[in-house]
């Protein structure tokens, strides 16, 4: 049987400084007319995705792209076409938006959509936009519980921090008690508390999601249904592919740079990290290993959502 031809598309997520992003309606005459999507269009023969993005945004919206970084790549099998979408975050452009194809525009906030229906392929992308640029891993075993709780409070007071509670030195009861203390800390900006450990011990805790070890990830046949958000640690292509098959919300890949937690293991380095992400995955990926806010821009230039931080977040 002949495999279906892949239609390659470049799609733009235009993001304003306040985090709002642009959706556009599909014009009359196209499949799924009236559905809302991220603007973009098909790659021409021999055209690079970034060049197609710039061309399509000029043709459709009348703007010139000034800053765009690769983000996610997703395949979606529609009845009319098998589509591979390369998404770019566009954070700088020139010109005013013009509906050159008669489309409507709507600026939206993550997880607060006011328009519908959404083009089916864009659903997971919308979820990814709700994620932070940083993922914090807890350090209670390094700095002590009292200090950790106070600093966690400061992180949540400052913004919508995502915190993975990873404390392997604690037994089940100790972990539960620490989790309950964290859950009582106000999160005025939102923020997330993500569990880590045996899934059976986490299901009844006040968690927003769960972070899988690579061993847990590879042992699963389907995404854990008990948790709203599910992410995983990965180290190579096969683990990234497994996370993709399970439809996880994010991955953490590394270690990228030299790390005190892995002194005897050679790091991936930025080139290999970027090469792995360039293969295209449908969920955001964080760089881990020797990361801090100082490496955020480099991680994003390599295609990452952001950075996962341990010690540097708690100094």
């Amino acid at each position: 049987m002949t495999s279906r031809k892949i239609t390659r598309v470049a799609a733009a997520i235009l993001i304003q400084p306040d985090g709002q992003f642009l959706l556009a309606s599909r014009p009359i005459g196209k499949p799924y007319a009236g559905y809302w999507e991220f603007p973009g269009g098909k790659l021409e023969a021999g055209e690079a995705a970034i060049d197609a993005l710039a061309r399509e945004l000029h043709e459709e919206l009348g703007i010139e792209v000034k800053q765009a970084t690769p983000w996610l790549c997703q395949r979606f099998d529609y009845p009319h076409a098998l589509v591979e979408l390369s998404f770019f975050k566009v954070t700088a452009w020139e010109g005013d938006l013009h509906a050159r194809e008669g489309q409507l525009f709507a600026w939206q906030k993550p997880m607060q959509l006011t328009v519908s229906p959404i083009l089916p392929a864009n659903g997971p992308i919308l979820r990814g936009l709700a994620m932070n640029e940083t993922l914090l891993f807890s350090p209670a075993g390094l700095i002590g519980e009292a200090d950790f709780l106070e600093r966690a409070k400061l992180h949540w007071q400052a913004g919508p921090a995502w915190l993975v509670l990873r404390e392997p030195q604690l037994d089940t009861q100790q972990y539960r008690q620490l989790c309950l203390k964290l859950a009582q800390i106000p999160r005025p900006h939102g923020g997330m508390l993500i569990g880590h450990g045996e899934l059976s011990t986490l299901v009844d805790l006040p968690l927003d999601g769960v972070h899988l070890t690579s061993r847990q990830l590879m042992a699963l046949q389907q995404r854990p249904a008990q948790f709203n958000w599910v992410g995983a640690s990965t180290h190579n292509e096969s683990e990234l592919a497994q996370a993709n098959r399970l439809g996880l919300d994010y991955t953490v890949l590394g270690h990228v740079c030299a790390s005190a937690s892995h002194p005897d293991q050679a790091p991936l380095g930025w080139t290999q990290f970027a090469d792995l992400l360039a293969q295209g995955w449908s969920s955001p990926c964080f760089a881990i290993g020797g990361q801090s806010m100082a490496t955020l821009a480099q991680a994003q230039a390599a295609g990452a959502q952001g950075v996962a931080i341990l010690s540097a977040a708690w100094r």
Side-chain angles (χ1 to χ4, degrees), residues 73-137:
C73 184
Q74 183 187 51
R75 285 191 180 183
F76 199 90
D77 196 351
Y78 287 105
H80 67 283
L82 175 58
V83 181
E84 182 179 273
L85 301 112
S86 295
F87 288 89
F88 292 80
K89 287 186 175 180
V90 180
T91 51
W93 62 90
E94 288 185 354
D96 297 325
L97 298 176
H98 296 281
R100 292 183 168 179
E101 295 185 344
Q103 67 272 52
L104 301 176
F105 299 136
W107 290 100
Q108 301 288 287
K109 296 180 180 179
M111 308 301 284
Q112 299 180 36
L113 297 187
T114 61
V115 296
S116 66
I118 304 298
L119 200 65
N122 292 165
I125 304 303
L126 291 168
R127 192 167 171 84
L129 284 172
M131 297 203 68
N132 268 14
E133 294 180 326
T134 57
L135 186 67
L136 310 181
F137 279 75

Side-chain angles (χ1 to χ4, degrees), residues 6 20-21 24 63 67 77 82 89 100 140 155 166 182 186 203 215 238 264 285 294 307 312-313:
I6 298 174
Q20 292 190 82
F21 58 88
I63 62 174
Q67 184 172 340
D77 196 351
L82 175 58
K89 287 186 175 180
R100 292 183 168 179
H155 274 298
R166 181 186 179 277
L182 282 167
V203 291
R215 180 175 297 180
S238 63
D264 301 323
C285 181
V307 290

Side-chain angles (χ1 to χ4, degrees), residues 65-313:
V65 175
K66 294 301 179 181
Q67 184 172 340
T69 54
W71 188 40
L72 302 179
C73 184
Q74 183 187 51
R75 285 191 180 183
F76 199 90
D77 196 351
Y78 287 105
H80 67 283
L82 175 58
V83 181
E84 182 179 273
L85 301 112
S86 295
F87 288 89
F88 292 80
K89 287 186 175 180
V90 180
T91 51
W93 62 90
E94 288 185 354
D96 297 325
L97 298 176
H98 296 281
R100 292 183 168 179
E101 295 185 344
Q103 67 272 52
L104 301 176
F105 299 136
W107 290 100
Q108 301 288 287
K109 296 180 180 179
M111 308 301 284
Q112 299 180 36
L113 297 187
T114 61
V115 296
S116 66
I118 304 298
L119 200 65
N122 292 165
I125 304 303
L126 291 168
R127 192 167 171 84
L129 284 172
M131 297 203 68
N132 268 14
E133 294 180 326
T134 57
L135 186 67
L136 310 181
F137 279 75
S138 65
L142 299 175
I143 66 175
E145 181 179 305
D147 197 4
F148 163 55
L149 289 170
E150 183 58 32
R151 297 190 195 189
K153 180 179 180 180
L154 294 176
H155 274 298
W156 277 327
Q157 285 178 343
W162 286 52
L163 171 61
V164 178
L165 183 58
R166 181 186 179 277
E167 298 295 339
Q169 79 283 356
L170 301 181
D171 62 29
T172 300
Q173 187 59 30
Q174 291 170 330
Y175 185 94
R176 169 180 289 273
Q177 291 303 314
L178 180 56
C179 182
L180 293 175
K181 291 177 183 178
L182 282 167
Q184 294 172 14
I185 298 176
R187 289 178 254 170
H189 305 283
M192 296 287 176
L193 178 57
I194 309 296
H196 187 283
E198 292 298 325
L199 300 185
S200 61
T201 68
L202 302 177
V203 291
D204 63 342
L205 290 176
L207 297 166
D208 300 293
V210 65
H211 183 91
L212 306 171
T213 66
S214 57
R215 180 175 297 180
Q216 288 175 314
L217 169 68
M218 299 307 287
L220 288 174
Q221 299 299 314
Q222 59 186 10
R223 175 191 170 109
Q226 312 96 311
F227 304 96
N228 185 23
W229 294 89
V230 184
S233 293
T234 64
H235 309 89
N236 51 51
E237 181 182 349
S238 63
E239 291 171 357
L240 286 168
Q242 170 72 343
N244 206 63
R245 282 192 295 270
L246 296 178
L248 301 194
D249 297 302
Y250 71 88
T251 56
V252 170
L253 175 62
H255 61 293
V256 178
C257 303
S259 171
S261 60
H262 298 83
D264 301 323
Q265 298 179 20
L268 289 174
W270 286 112
T271 299
Q272 188 175 355
F273 177 83
D275 288 346
L276 283 168
L277 292 194
Q279 297 180 44
W281 312 103
S282 61
S283 60
C285 181
F286 294 86
I288 196 171
Q291 302 303 303
S292 67
M293 293 305 297
T295 63
L296 176 61
Q298 188 168 13
Q300 292 178 329
Q305 167 77 6
V307 290
I309 311 175
L310 177 53
S311 58

